[in-house]
């Protein structure tokens, strides 16, 4: 397969690396080094907020567009496949998402992620094209479920970072991850995600990786908040866009719209957007009445 | 409430600690220091394989018995609530299970676990009795689901330990945890567990803690295997019973009985019981055909 990867960041380069290892013909396109595309398959590995702009810069007619960006577009509140459908109505969007650090992939360490398309056969064909023994793709036809897991987990990664920054321990982080996952699932299911997807690689799998590793930008941002840094300073120290800080805002709006209780995501929002004190939010969470699981 | 904790190990002492903090009247009973019980509520915090013997040594008629031991009884393949029902037919079994390290609980760090009883009202009442701001109990009526999560996760903790011992990275461990959770869920659901329970604290919550921490005995055992130690030596270096090594055997038998595919659990079984090479098992797992999620 002839493939163009849009984006020359760590993730774009990692995906180009595995595609080349699979003996595909791969080029990396970036805004800094653009060229005329010929490839019928595009892999989009730019930050979520740049996907729309980048897709406008390249030909997209009838192409398969594999989205490897996680997040919700500001302003429109669109998921990335919807951005593709909006900008490139004749293209077929696929979504690649799951627990994967670029450096693990480049090192050839085993990684498994989900590849979703509206049509399961399309997902299966592309999963077969790009699977390697150390880079396994699981096919899914739940595009929306895969996208919601990948976007919402960033908010919970901030919460888990805060917990670890405060030194609350591994048991607390596991509880926060699990109860946060219950919130994420409630919202995602209300928005059409399949429960099976949320229990998979792009859901709980990606969450548990992102919510426990300093390699995750969102977790690292939360960790600094837990250590007592003000929001502005913690953001300034981040190495790139902290997608979850914005997603908290959108998630709160979506939760209100679907009438869903999301205490952990609300707490992150209160801290990041309203300047609430970290300790007050943690105390409030712990004093909620015990519930039924 | 007047409570006797059976077992003076770290977990028994931690549970006695929180019960006292909740202003209950608490005594710790052990085989080394037995006495005549008067309490109507027992908390059983001995290793799974000792639960039957210990329950035979104390009066159990009409008592509430909260089981804080995780595992499947050798020989009978019974879960712990079934052992209680067998030994003490007039008693009411409850199961306490979830992501919780004894030292986190004793330090007063936030912890949340599930408390299950066949009757949801019973679970709710006891959850209220024993909940503290930093020790939250979520009520459930899925005794079997809670027990299966707590028992089966030990096998997956060995698998994740092996992966880390081999240095396969965080992405690999996240994939293994997630795909292992899919196996656990398939078997547990076939045996009557509710999916909701598996997605909760006693399911994925406990799994993600146990499968990522050197404080977990099963993970630590797996880690030594991954580093190349033979099974006998890795077992000898363990600080107590490695429950998951035995559970792998039972899980394989149960999976065969319910006609369920469990490649990760089978790989752990092959390594622990049949002396298969760790690297061969990992390679075989990675070369399975890509699947649908």
């Amino acid at each position: 397969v002839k493939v163009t990867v849009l984006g020359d960041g760590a993730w774009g380069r990692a995906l180009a690396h595995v595609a080349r290892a699979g003996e595909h013909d791969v080029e990396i396109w970036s805004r800094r080094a653009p060229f005329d595309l010929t490839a019928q398959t595009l892999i989009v590995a730019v930050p979520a907020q740049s996907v729309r702009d980048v897709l406008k810069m390249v030909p997209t007619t009838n192409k398969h567009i594999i989205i490897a960006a996680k997040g919700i577009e500001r302003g429109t509140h669109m998921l990335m496949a919807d951005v593709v459908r909006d900008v490139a109505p004749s293209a077929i969007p696929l979504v690649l998402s799951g627990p994967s650090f670029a450096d693990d992939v480049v090192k050839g360490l085993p990684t498994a992620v989900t590849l979703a398309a509206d049509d399961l056969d399309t997902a299966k064909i592309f999963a077969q094209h790009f699977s390697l023994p150390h880079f396994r793709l699981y096919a899914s036809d739940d595009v929306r479920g895969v996208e919601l897991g990948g976007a919402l987990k960033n908010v919970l990664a901030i919460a888990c970072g805060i917990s670890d920054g405060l030194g609350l321990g591994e048991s607390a982080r596991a509880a926060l991850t699990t109860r946060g996952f219950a919130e994420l699932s409630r919202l995602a299911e209300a928005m059409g995600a399949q429960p099976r997807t949320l229990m998979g690689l792009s859901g709980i799998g990606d969450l548990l990786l992102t919510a426990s590793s300093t390699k995750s930008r969102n977790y690292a941002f939360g960790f600094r908040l837990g250590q007592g840094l003000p929001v502005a300073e913690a953001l300034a120290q981040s190495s790139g866009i902290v997608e979850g800080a914005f997603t908290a805002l959108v998630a709160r709006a979506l939760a209100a719209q679907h009438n869903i209780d999301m205490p952990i995501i609300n707490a992150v929002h209160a801290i990041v957007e309203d300047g609430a004190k970290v300790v007050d939010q943690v105390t409030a969470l712990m004093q909620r009445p015990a519930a039924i699981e």
Side-chain angles (χ1 to χ4, degrees), chain A:
Chain A
V1 180
K2 200 164 164 57
V3 185
T4 298
V5 176
L6 304 178
D8 65 353
W11 190 220
R13 281 179 278 121
L15 291 173
H17 180 87
V18 287
R20 282 196 193 106
E23 301 189 353
H24 301 291
D25 179 3
V26 185
E27 290 178 312
I28 296 180
W29 180 102
S30 75
R31 287 202 237 203
R32 282 173 291 182
F35 54 82
D36 289 338
L37 303 192
T38 57
Q40 269 307 304
T41 301
L42 308 182
I43 298 177
V44 185
V46 297
Q49 306 309 327
S50 307
V51 167
R52 183 180 294 270
D53 285 351
V54 163
L55 286 178
K56 282 181 181 165
M57 298 172 72
V58 299
T60 55
T61 309
N62 295 327
K63 295 196 192 297
H64 284 95
I65 299 183
I66 302 174
I67 305 151
K70 298 168 189 172
I72 301 179
E73 193 180 44
R74 297 180 199 220
T76 65
H77 291 193
M78 277 184 183
L79 292 164
M80 296 299 114
D82 289 328
V83 171
V84 170
R85 289 183 191 109
D86 198 27
V87 180
S90 71
I92 294 164
L94 295 93
V95 174
L96 185 153
S97 187
S100 45
F101 286 134
D103 56 348
D104 287 349
V105 171
V106 171
K107 281 181 203 155
L109 295 174
T111 309
V113 300
T114 306
L115 184 66
D118 289 333
D119 172 52
L120 185 59
D121 284 334
T122 303
K124 276 165 143 176
I125 289 167
F126 278 82
Q128 263 183 333
H129 277 330
F130 291 106
S131 275
L132 298 169
H134 69 271
F135 187 71
R136 295 170 64 79
L137 292 167
Y138 285 75
S140 162
D141 60 3
D142 184 9
V143 169
R144 175 152 282 239
V146 167
E147 286 216 276
L148 283 167
L152 296 173
K153 64 115 214 270
N154 286 325
V155 188
L156 300 174
I158 296 176
C160 289
I162 290 172
S163 179
D164 282 356
L166 283 165
L168 298 184
E170 292 177 273
S171 304
R173 190 181 65 205
L176 202 51
T177 306
T178 311
R179 296 301 306 167
F181 178 60
E183 293 184 15
L184 179 160
S185 299
R186 281 198 293 272
L187 179 58
E189 287 179 35
M191 293 177 70
Q194 298 300 315
R196 191 193 179 82
T197 308
L198 302 172
M199 288 172 80
L201 293 163
S202 63
I204 189 70
D206 201 3
L207 171 61
L208 68 88
L209 180 65
T210 312
S212 67
S213 176
T214 48
K215 282 197 220 169
S216 153
R217 205 180 284 155
N218 292 284
Y219 172 91
F221 167 66
F223 195 91
R224 287 190 287 274
L225 294 178
Q227 286 183 315
L229 251 67
V231 173
E233 214 167 310
L235 274 175
Q237 289 189 15
S238 297
S239 60
I241 297 159
V242 181
E243 205 56 60
F246 170 71
T247 309
L249 191 74
V250 182
R252 217 179 70 130
L254 292 170
Q257 188 183 322
H258 292 276
N259 200 21
I260 282 163
D261 192 26
M262 302 185 82
I264 296 169
I265 289 177
N266 286 346
V268 172
H269 178 269
I271 292 164
V272 173
E273 291 288 326
D274 302 336
K277 281 190 188 160
V278 164
V279 171
D280 292 349
Q281 292 298 312
V282 171
T283 307
L285 279 178
M286 285 164 61
Q287 283 172 347
R288 286 167 54 86
I292 297 162
E293 190 164 64

